[in-house]
Each structure stands twice: as structure tokens, then as C-alpha cells.
């Protein structure tokens, strides 16, 4: 189990010990060893900072640091049909499917376009009144 309190890592300019957090220890070691796996980093963190961290905790901190940096976390892309945005559109896949269903229910794209044109004309009339 990981220790709650941070261990002294160095001294401040006034001679008092400087403490380091667990996530900061993971950040510093990950900079030195970016390709290393969490199992390899655990003993390095214990040796350098005196903090005992499990590989699972190190992995969790690395994901957190990547998210904060705005980097992609996983190797997989979005799943199809998961509601993620597709291509350059602002619509999600589920929204696109709902619009397509509505168009079919109303009689097709041409009929809906005609309705929209009539609605725009009526809106102008009421705006001027």
C-alpha cells in the first residue's frame, strides 16, 4: 500500500527538508524513463524518493498526468456508435441517426426542406408585425 506522507527529497535554501508528493515523484521519474513500465518505475521511486508506490498507482498517476497535459491516453480510438463526434461534423453519431429517422418520418429531405423554407418565411412575417 502507498504511503500517505511524502518523504524528504532535498533541502530548501533555508535548510529545512523539502517534501515531494507521490504524483510529483512519478512525474520526475517518468521524465527520466518515459518508456519504462510501472513495474520498473516502482523500485526507482522507492530508491530515489523513499516512497513505496504500487505499479497500479504509478499507472493511475501517469494517466492523470497525460490527461492534464492534453495528450491522448490510450491506443484505441473511439468506438463506433458510442456517441463520439465523427469527422469534422459537430453532430454525434446518435444525433445523426435521430435526424435521419425524423427525416424519414416526415417524408424525406425535400419535403422537410420545403417546410423549413415556409417556416423561415412565416418567421419573417411575425418578426415585422
Amino acid at each position: 500500500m502507498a504511503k500517505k506522507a511524502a518523504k524528504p527529497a532535498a533541502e530548501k535554501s533555508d535548510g529545512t527538508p523539502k517534501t515531494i508528493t507521490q504524483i510529483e515523484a512519478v512525474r520526475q521519474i517518468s521524465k527520466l524513463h518515459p518508456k519504462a513500465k510501472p513495474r520498473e518505475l516502482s523500485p526507482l521511486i522507492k530508491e530515489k524518493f523513499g516512497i513505496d508506490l504500487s505499479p497500479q498507482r504509478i499507472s493511475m498517476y501517469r494517466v492523470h498526468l497525460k490527461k492534464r497535459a492534453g495528450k491522448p491516453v490510450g491506443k484505441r480510438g473511439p468506438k463506433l456508435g458510442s456517441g463520439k463526434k465523427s469527422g469534422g461534423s459537430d453532430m454525434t453519431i446518435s444525433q445523426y441517426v435521430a435526424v435521419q429517422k425524423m427525416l424519414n418520418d416526415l417524408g424525406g429531405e425535400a419535403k422537410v426542406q420545403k417546410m423549413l423554407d415556409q417556416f423561415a418565411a412565416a418567421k419573417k412575417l411575425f418578426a415585422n408585425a
Side-chain angles (χ1 to χ4, degrees):
M1 176 159 258
K3 293 183 180 180
K4 297 272 183 191
K7 292 282 185 171
E11 288 190 0
K12 295 180 185 176
S13 59
D14 63 353
T16 59
K18 182 173 136 182
T19 58
I20 187 166
T21 62
Q22 292 177 357
I23 196 164
E24 183 60 30
V26 171
R27 178 185 288 120
Q28 289 181 16
I29 290 292
S30 293
K31 281 183 182 178
L32 296 173
H33 308 281
K35 301 281 185 185
K37 297 184 187 270
R39 282 186 183 162
E40 299 164 353
L41 294 179
S42 185
L44 296 173
I45 291 172
K46 176 74 172 173
E47 179 184 319
K48 184 168 183 176
F49 301 108
I51 300 173
D52 189 20
L53 288 176
S54 69
Q56 293 83 9
R57 176 70 55 134
I58 293 169
S59 178
M60 181 186 68
Y61 283 149
R62 287 175 108 186
V63 167
H64 177 74
L65 291 169
K66 283 183 181 181
K67 282 183 180 180
R68 283 179 54 190
K71 295 179 182 176
V73 176
K75 294 181 181 178
R76 300 179 199 161
K79 295 178 184 176
L80 293 177
S82 64
K84 303 287 182 190
K85 291 185 179 180
S86 60
S89 174
D90 288 336
M91 291 178 60
T92 63
I93 294 171
S94 59
Q95 289 171 330
Y96 177 79
V97 170
V99 168
Q100 190 65 43
K101 183 181 181 309
M102 182 188 70
L103 286 173
N104 292 339
D105 291 346
L106 293 173
E109 290 180 43
K111 191 169 183 181
V112 171
Q113 185 61 49
K114 188 175 180 181
M115 286 183 213
L116 288 172
D117 293 340
Q118 291 172 352
F119 177 76
K123 189 175 175 182
K124 285 181 185 177
L125 286 175
F126 288 115
N128 292 334

